[in-house]
Amino acid sequence: MHTLQKIVFAIMPSSWRVGIQAESERWMLKCPNCGFERSYWDAGGIRWRAAGNKTVFGKCPNCGQNVGFAVYKKNSPA
Ligand SMILES: [Zn+2]
């Protein structure tokens, strides 16, 4: 687990953690350069009770370019 996630989880009731992780895993980051995708959670972030799309700038682990990742929310599993 990443540092931010440890800190947030340390201050939150344990009953919230599963929901927060699940929601963070539904938010995806997609590289516009190579199409590589990973979840917000995998990237070390937490996104919870948020809405709307935005852009997150960072280095793509796949193509190595500094890009603006498109952020979008995957549909819940059926
Ligand atoms: Zn890329």
Side-chain angles (χ1 to χ4, degrees), residues 4 27-32 38 40 43 45-58 67-73:
L4 171 66
W27 285 96
M28 301 297 292
L29 302 174
K30 183 169 184 175
C31 174
R38 63 177 172 169
Y40 223 83
I46 288 175
R47 188 162 174 85
W48 181 52
R49 295 198 177 167
N53 295 336
K54 65 168 189 171
T55 302
V56 174
F57 293 93
V67 297
F69 292 94
V71 180
Y72 68 97
K73 194 174 189 180

Side-chain angles (χ1 to χ4, degrees), residues 18-34:
V18 172
I20 292 167
Q21 180 170 352
E23 177 138 359
S24 298
E25 286 176 338
R26 281 208 297 277
W27 285 96
M28 301 297 292
L29 302 174
K30 183 169 184 175
C31 174
N33 189 48
C34 69

Side-chain angles (χ1 to χ4, degrees), residues 30-37 59-65 67 69:
K30 183 169 184 175
C31 174
N33 189 48
C34 69
F36 177 79
E37 290 179 301
K59 188 171 183 177
C60 175
N62 190 54
C63 68
Q65 299 296 307
V67 297
F69 292 94

